[in-house]
Amino acid sequence: MSATRTLWFVLGDQLDPHFTVLRRHFDKARDVVLMAEVSDESRHVPSHKQRTILFLAAMRHYAERLRSKGVTVRYTRLDDVGNASTLAGELRRALDTLQPQSLAIVRPGEWRVLRMIERVAAQRKLPLRVHEDPHFLVTPQAFSAWANGRTELVMERFYRAVRKRFRILVTDDGRPEGGAWTLRAESRPRFAGNRPPLPKRVVHTPDATTRAVIASVERSLGDLPGTAAEFNWPVTREQALAELHDFVRHRLAHFGDDVADMATGAPWMHHSLLAAPLNLKLLDPREVVQLAVDAHRRGEAPLPAVEAFVRQVIGRREFIRGVYWHEGQDYASRNALGHRRALPTLYWSGETEMRCLREGVGGVLQHGFAHHAQRLLVTGNFALLAGVDPKEVSDWHLGMFVDGVDWATLPNALGSSQHADGGTVGTRAPVAGGRTIEKHSDYCDGCRFEPGMRTGDDACPMTTFYWDFLIRHQATLAANRRLASALAQVASMSDEVKREVTAWAAVMRKRLGVVER
């Protein structure tokens, strides 16, 4: 009989500092944890250097945390001799060496990895136990029970159900505190600069372990996109808590105030920056929400700001994950609008005359991050309007953002941003022209393009593409009530104007490198 009872495959986004599943089921005398750094996970979609560093540095710190608790860890580093370079290869190597009686995992963050582990276990005729991830409030099974039989999946209804179930910001009789479930303003004023003053970020100085990872990535994966020069992301439980407390102290009170705003040289605004440590499981959503609610109780943050934050953590985040597992593996191949063009090279270089894209993509290359408005109104919006293949857009968002994990990225990018699922995640195709970007940012100041023009050399490509998009998809989107006003304008256009817009959009696509495949 093998000396190893169960091999536990712990992945890079399963770094639970409370060891919730292991504490319940792990036998220190007979079980082994497997962790592996493999180059394939940084190459199956091109991964930003800082995203790769974040995962690997967090993994190394977590392995040491496990060992300090008496856990036996088999750990493969990126540049170890014999590294198989794939998760499947490292799993097979461990199985060959340890000959365990069974294999155990916590549900991975993507279908691809789950199916790979299932195949390896089946090939080896090895029992596999898949534990649900206790990090989330709602299991995939519970989400499907809520979703089954509904004609449409509305996040607002899901959010209310979760708040009621977990008694978050609700009164004793089950009503929402503040008198409404949503307390943020639906209509937002024109961008007025960086007011209130934007707080500085907390600094996470890389320790020896993180510095070693940075050197390893530069040595073995130096051709990855982005730069590692300004790496400043939390890779330990302690750093994640520092990020959380910094947010609660300095940004929570204004969370949501500038959610639609973008400012030159202000990559963070008042966004929480907690998605990465949450997605790696260094933080638990329950503690994050509780700290925000406690801040409100102490009078340190207004209820609308706290409700907006809670909505993102237990509403949007849980909803998106539920959609990912509920919709199945074929969700990734959906393309409701039939977009097939290639992602232009400017998404890898940031080189473009369009100031909004130069700021948005440039910030991603520098930090591995862009906040909500930049993702929706700039990088996502441009790709949607230009007709880029939604899977390419989703893959770029997955690999280029430090918080990228498939369960979160796919429904948000392919679904909500690119409308490729036909409205499963968002009922309205989130399209916007240059005037909208002008309203919510300072990007148009000094840009050579004019946001109010839709044709001609000075026309803003966002505006040209916006009207071209509506012309191309007029019939498909006709029933979309939220686009009714814009589509009515298209209907009133003469055929000559439509042809002019369509022709100029073709010129713009060629100039910007948006090519047919």
Side-chain angles (χ1 to χ4, degrees):
M1 180 176 291
S2 170
T4 302
R5 185 193 67 161
T6 302
L7 179 65
W8 291 78
F9 199 178
V10 174
L11 302 167
D13 61 345
Q14 298 178 340
L15 311 181
D16 175 10
H18 304 298
F19 316 111
T20 309
V21 174
L22 292 180
R23 194 170 62 245
R24 294 172 184 166
H25 305 284
F26 192 86
D27 184 337
K28 290 182 182 179
R30 297 188 295 163
D31 293 353
V32 175
V33 163
L34 168 65
M35 299 181 71
E37 303 173 6
V38 295
S39 59
D40 182 64
E41 291 304 297
S42 293
R43 296 196 185 281
H44 81 278
V45 297
S47 178
H48 195 292
K49 286 180 180 177
Q50 293 193 36
R51 176 176 182 261
T52 299
I53 292 165
L54 172 68
F55 273 79
L56 302 193
M59 288 169 63
R60 289 192 191 184
H61 283 97
Y62 189 70
E64 289 306 310
R65 196 180 191 104
L66 286 172
R67 290 183 178 120
S68 72
K69 301 295 183 181
V71 173
T72 300
V73 181
R74 176 188 169 98
Y75 194 98
T76 304
R77 296 193 174 199
L78 186 65
D79 44 12
D80 280 351
V81 175
N83 189 320
S85 299
T86 67
L87 290 178
E90 281 304 302
L91 176 56
R92 292 189 182 99
R93 282 212 311 154
L95 294 176
D96 289 341
T97 301
L98 299 172
Q99 295 292 311
Q101 300 168 29
S102 65
L103 179 63
I105 58 171
V106 172
R107 179 187 289 269
E110 56 182 304
W111 282 106
R112 174 184 64 92
V113 176
L114 175 60
R115 292 296 182 243
M116 176 275 292
I117 295 173
E118 289 175 339
R119 284 195 301 272
V120 171
Q123 290 164 1
R124 298 299 181 97
K125 296 181 173 54
L126 200 62
L128 171 65
R129 285 180 291 160
V130 180
H131 297 271
E132 288 302 335
D133 193 334
H135 174 86
F136 295 95
L137 279 69
V138 180
T139 66
Q141 294 80 5
F143 183 88
S144 289
W146 173 84
N148 288 334
R150 295 178 183 269
T151 55
E152 59 181 358
L153 304 181
V154 180
M155 196 278 284
E156 175 65 26
R157 295 172 186 164
F158 173 80
Y159 168 61
R160 293 184 186 187
V162 173
R163 266 180 67 181
K164 288 178 181 178
R165 176 183 170 188
F166 292 96
R167 308 291 301 171
I168 299 172
L169 293 178
V170 296
T171 61
D172 291 340
D173 59 358
R175 297 182 182 182
E177 290 189 27
W181 294 102
T182 304
L183 298 175
R184 66 185 181 188
E186 290 299 323
S187 177
R188 298 195 176 275
R190 178 175 290 273
F191 175 74
N194 301 342
R195 295 292 184 270
L198 298 174
K200 294 181 179 179
R201 275 203 65 191
V202 64
V203 175
H204 305 294
T205 303
D207 62 8
T209 298
T210 301
R211 292 196 301 272
V213 169
I214 293 172
S216 179
V217 169
E218 292 285 23
R219 184 169 55 250
S220 301
L221 297 168
D223 60 333
L224 292 179
T227 175
E230 298 185 26
F231 183 82
N232 185 35
W233 297 102
V235 297
T236 67
R237 166 68 172 173
E238 293 73 24
Q239 289 181 341
L241 287 172
E243 190 82 69
L244 170 59
H245 287 286
D246 183 76
F247 164 68
V248 172
R249 282 194 302 269
H250 300 299
R251 294 192 298 279
L252 174 61
H254 296 288
F255 186 85
D257 291 352
D258 53 15
V259 68
D261 291 341
M262 301 170 286
T264 303
W268 325 117
M269 305 299 282
H270 285 90
H271 295 270
S272 76
L273 307 179
L274 297 178
L278 274 168
N279 290 352
L280 266 61
K281 317 301 165 50
L282 295 174
L283 296 175
D284 187 279
R286 298 164 187 82
E287 68 180 331
V288 168
V289 166
Q290 190 60 55
L291 275 179
V293 172
D294 289 346
H296 169 62
R297 301 280 187 252
R298 294 192 302 268
E300 298 172 2
L303 185 58
V306 173
E307 185 277 318
F309 179 65
V310 168
R311 171 183 295 269
Q312 292 303 310
V313 177
I314 67 161
R316 179 76 181 180
R317 188 169 183 271
E318 296 277 343
F319 177 78
I320 287 296
R321 180 178 184 258
V323 167
Y324 179 85
W325 291 108
H326 179 72
E327 293 298 308
Q329 294 180 79
D330 69 340
Y331 186 84
S333 63
R334 295 186 191 178
N335 193 345
L337 297 175
H339 288 174
R340 302 293 180 191
R341 297 187 176 98
L343 191 72
T345 57
L346 68 86
Y347 276 75
W348 307 105
S349 69
E351 296 174 1
T352 173
E353 290 185 289
M354 297 177 65
R355 191 177 177 201
C356 59
L357 270 176
R358 192 167 65 245
E359 285 291 320
V361 175
V364 173
L365 292 171
Q366 185 177 5
H367 303 293
F369 178 84
H371 61 69
H372 168 79
Q374 292 171 315
R375 299 186 197 200
L376 192 65
L377 286 176
V378 178
T379 59
N381 183 50
F382 178 85
L384 173 60
L385 296 177
V388 174
D389 187 315
K391 187 59 167 59
E392 286 198 31
V393 180
S394 179
D395 285 349
W396 183 82
H397 280 80
L398 174 62
M400 291 300 288
F401 292 107
V402 293
D403 54 34
V405 287
D406 201 48
W407 66 259
T409 301
L410 194 65
N412 272 315
L414 184 140
S416 182
S417 171
Q418 299 304 294
H419 200 62
D421 62 5
T424 299
V425 174
T427 56
R428 180 188 186 275
V431 290
R435 284 296 193 196
T436 300
I437 294 173
E438 182 184 38
K439 176 182 176 181
H440 291 295
S441 76
D442 62 0
Y443 291 162
C444 297
D445 299 342
C447 181
R448 89 160 195 83
F449 296 109
E450 170 52 54
M453 292 181 62
R454 61 190 178 199
T455 58
D457 284 329
D458 294 329
C460 173
M462 288 286 196
T463 302
T464 302
F465 288 160
Y466 173 76
W467 291 108
D468 174 66
F469 174 90
L470 294 176
I471 291 168
R472 285 186 289 116
H473 295 298
Q474 184 177 5
T476 303
L477 301 173
N480 195 312
R481 296 187 300 275
R482 299 183 69 178
L483 288 174
S485 177
L487 290 172
Q489 293 183 62
V490 171
S492 67
M493 289 180 179
S494 68
D495 290 342
E496 181 181 358
V497 169
K498 291 179 181 178
R499 285 194 295 270
E500 183 182 5
V501 170
T502 299
W504 193 250
V507 172
M508 286 285 196
R509 282 193 292 271
K510 185 175 181 179
R511 289 181 179 178
L512 290 164
V514 186
V515 300
E516 301 284 353
R517 287 188 300 183

